[in-house]
């Protein structure tokens, strides 16, 4: 349900990766409230059925929704996402917004267990490299022009800064992504960049954490950190490249 806020993110091309489940799905449900009529949303994930179900829920009177079935762990998946976005006419938008949300947990295991280079590379490729290549591809496809706002969000985690035993894969990827987007913020002053940590949210990833560790914790519904993220984007008064954690806001 939208509130009566007068602010919006403009006529927006909004790309959300990992939109089929969890936080990305919830964010995609909240997003239309803050987009102007004529906006386009690209929902990206591997599970086409879940994307189509989500699309059917959304109010497509105000915006067009395209489902992009893509495995972002592969070059084909990244390229396909960029190609679908490129079909849009840049002049139709005053804002291009990319939410790099897709991510995976990987094995929670001792450092010394990661002897399989292929396993490590596959994890790094999806969780780090694809976010770089996708962001680069979209920024190239939608270059700076007067009147165009460009925003990139990286879905981060408290573990980007906190070394925790057994979390080497996940923490390494989150730390690398934060740095990657900090560099982008330095390099491109006209791109607004946010590393956003949603806090522990109730998703499949948390169920997977419980399965692997047996440790449960209090979880937030996705809507709260999602609404806070939208408010941050609407106010847009954060310093580009910063890391903000829902639990500190
Ligand atoms: N849950 C938490 O407590 C928490 C806390 C801090 C940060 N985060 C971060 O928030 C983001 C979302 O997490 P979540 O909890 O919502 O995770 P989730 O429930 O596991 O959902 C992950 C999403 O990523 C997509 N995905 C996975 N592998 C993919 C691939 N190879 N190609 C394309 N899409 C892929 C999944 O869709 P398909 O399976 O359909 O591809 C799904 O839509 C992640 O970056 C996570 O690290 C989560």
């Amino acid at each position: 349900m939208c509130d009566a806020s007068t602010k919006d993110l403009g006529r927006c091309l909004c790309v959300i990766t990992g939109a089929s489940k969890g936080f990305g799905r919830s964010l995609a449900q909240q997003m239309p409230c803050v987009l102007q009529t004529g906006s386009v949303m690209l929902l990206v994930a591997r599970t086409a059925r879940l994307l189509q179900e989500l699309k059917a829920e959304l109010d497509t009177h105000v915006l067009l929704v395209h489902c992009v079935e893509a495995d972002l762990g592969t070059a084909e998946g990244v390229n396909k996402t960029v190609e679908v976005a490129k079909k849009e006419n840049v002049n139709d938008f005053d804002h291009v917004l990319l939410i790099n949300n897709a991510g995976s947990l990987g094995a929670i295991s001792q450092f010394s267990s990661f002897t399989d280079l292929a396993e490590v590379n596959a994890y790094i490729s999806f969780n780090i490299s694809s976010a770089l290549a996708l962001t680069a591809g979209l920024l190239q496809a939608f270059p700076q022009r007067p009147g165009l706002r460009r925003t990139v969000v990286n879905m981060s985690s408290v573990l980007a800064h906190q070394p925790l035993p057994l979390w080497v894969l996940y923490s390494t990827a989150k730390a690398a992504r934060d740095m990657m987007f900090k560099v982008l913020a330095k390099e491109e002053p006209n791109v607004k960049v946010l590393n956003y940590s949603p806090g522990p949210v109730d998703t499949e990833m948390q169920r997977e954490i419980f399965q692997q560790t047996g440790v449960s914790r209090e979880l937030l519904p996705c809507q709260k950190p999602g609404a806070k993220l939208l408010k941050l984007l609407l106010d847009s008064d954060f310093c580009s490249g910063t890391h903000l954690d829902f639990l500190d806001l």
Side-chain angles (χ1 to χ4, degrees):
M1 190 68 133
C2 301
D3 67 19
S5 165
T6 49
K7 278 196 210 165
D8 60 59
L9 294 175
R11 201 173 155 105
C12 189
L13 172 62
C14 171
V15 181
I16 304 180
T17 68
S20 63
K21 300 171 197 158
F23 186 76
R25 183 182 185 87
S26 174
L27 193 65
Q29 288 165 329
Q30 292 172 287
M31 192 61 80
C33 289
V34 295
L35 301 182
Q36 276 182 16
T37 305
S39 294
V40 173
M41 202 151 70
L42 260 55
L43 307 174
V44 187
R46 291 169 303 179
T47 317
R49 177 184 54 81
L50 293 177
L51 293 178
Q52 290 296 342
E53 282 173 17
L54 173 61
K55 179 179 174 176
E57 278 176 32
L58 298 172
D59 181 0
T60 45
H61 288 102
V62 290
L63 80 164
L64 263 176
V65 178
H66 299 305
C67 299
V68 186
E69 180 185 356
D71 181 349
L72 293 173
T74 66
E76 294 74 26
V78 172
N79 294 340
K80 179 179 176 183
T81 306
V82 174
E83 288 311 311
V84 173
K86 273 178 161 174
K87 287 185 188 149
E88 302 298 327
N89 183 347
V90 65
N91 297 316
D92 289 346
F93 306 104
D94 49 41
H95 192 175
V96 175
L97 168 62
L98 168 60
I99 313 275
N100 281 298
N101 167 76
S104 63
L105 185 63
I108 302 173
S109 180
Q110 278 195 324
F111 193 106
S112 57
S113 68
F114 291 103
T115 52
D116 181 346
L117 189 62
E119 180 195 355
V120 175
N121 279 345
Y123 187 82
I124 297 291
S125 175
F126 167 46
N127 286 282
I128 305 177
S129 313
S130 81
L132 173 55
L134 178 64
T135 306
L138 288 175
L139 291 176
Q140 249 186 49
F142 299 95
Q144 190 199 1
R145 66 158 165 78
L148 181 67
R149 184 178 161 193
R150 296 184 298 166
T151 308
V152 176
V153 176
N154 167 39
M155 211 48 63
S156 186
S157 160
V158 67
L159 294 185
H161 307 297
Q162 279 181 15
L164 200 63
L166 311 181
W167 285 77
V168 62
L169 278 190
Y170 189 83
S171 308
T172 300
K174 289 304 188 197
R177 281 170 65 130
D178 265 39
M179 181 52 77
M180 177 197 301
F181 289 105
K182 279 178 198 285
V183 171
L184 173 63
K186 288 273 183 216
E187 225 179 84
E188 298 271 6
N190 48 60
V191 178
K192 198 81 190 260
V193 183
L194 176 63
N195 292 304
Y196 182 68
S197 170
V201 281
D202 189 0
T203 65
E204 236 173 60
M205 187 176 281
Q206 283 290 346
R207 285 185 278 287
E208 214 183 317
I209 292 171
F210 180 68
Q211 276 166 12
Q212 289 200 45
T213 64
V215 178
S216 65
R217 59 182 303 191
E218 207 174 310
L219 299 174
L220 297 159
C222 291
Q223 291 79 2
K224 283 190 178 180
K228 178 57 86 176
L229 172 57
L230 292 184
K231 180 152 181 7
L232 287 167
L233 296 176
L234 289 168
D235 294 344
S236 195
D237 53 10
F238 57 87
C239 178
S240 187
T242 196
H243 174 110
L244 295 176
D245 192 313
F246 172 75
L247 297 179
D248 299 332
L249 295 168

